[in-house]
Amino acid sequence: MFRCILFFVLTSGPELGLPGQIPPKPPVQEDIPPEEDAAAKPKEYAFNPLQAETEMRIGGYYFKKGKYRAAADRFREATRWNPTLAEAFVRLGEAEEKQHNAKAAREAYAKYLEVAPDAKDAAQIKKKLSKL
């Protein structure tokens, strides 16, 4: 009887978790080629005004908190979701101005004037453009 138990213990593998036994190797996972990796693909933007409004709200929150870089990123995203959203370009220009990025602010304000040339504050934006 003792021999049977001893034989069973000695011949059993590491699945019993006995000390001194080598644990099994985990299965090897294959790397996903970069052309098939979904995270590596550039983001595609389609017209989505709801997403643009969401980005605007979040950007406004960051702007109020003084986090101008995050706000600019959100406003830029809003312009990608809805390229005709004039307010996004104005807010992007303001956020870029706060970061002392005159070139990006100038581009945003110019795009605003292109999208909404007859806006109420167009003269004000033109004045800002001339100062930059």
Side-chain angles (χ1 to χ4, degrees):
M1 177 79 175
F2 178 73
R3 284 186 183 159
C4 288
I5 294 173
L6 182 61
F7 176 76
F8 177 71
V9 169
L10 292 177
T11 58
S12 64
E15 58 273 354
L16 288 180
L18 298 174
Q21 304 257 338
I22 300 172
K25 293 182 181 178
V28 178
Q29 293 181 350
E30 294 183 29
D31 290 334
I32 299 173
E35 63 272 3
E36 294 179 13
D37 188 10
K41 290 183 183 177
K43 195 171 184 180
E44 293 183 19
Y45 296 94
F47 181 73
N48 189 343
L50 294 176
Q51 183 64 35
E53 287 299 323
T54 300
E55 298 291 346
M56 287 294 295
R57 264 195 321 273
I58 296 170
Y61 171 80
Y62 283 136
F63 194 87
K64 286 178 187 175
K65 292 291 184 182
K67 298 182 180 196
Y68 302 117
R69 183 174 178 201
D73 289 342
R74 291 302 183 140
F75 295 139
R76 193 172 292 109
E77 283 287 307
T79 64
R80 291 177 182 153
W81 288 113
N82 186 355
T84 60
L85 185 61
E87 182 188 358
F89 289 106
V90 170
R91 301 296 306 271
L92 175 60
E94 291 170 353
E96 293 292 0
E97 253 188 296
K98 292 285 189 176
Q99 295 180 78
H100 307 290
N101 189 351
K103 182 183 175 192
R106 206 175 303 119
E107 289 172 4
Y109 287 141
K111 185 68 177 177
Y112 170 73
L113 291 174
E114 183 182 315
V115 171
D118 55 346
K120 290 180 182 178
D121 59 346
Q124 208 175 23
I125 298 300
K126 286 177 186 176
K127 200 181 282 188
K128 280 186 179 184
L129 266 174
S130 66
K131 288 180 183 179
L132 291 176

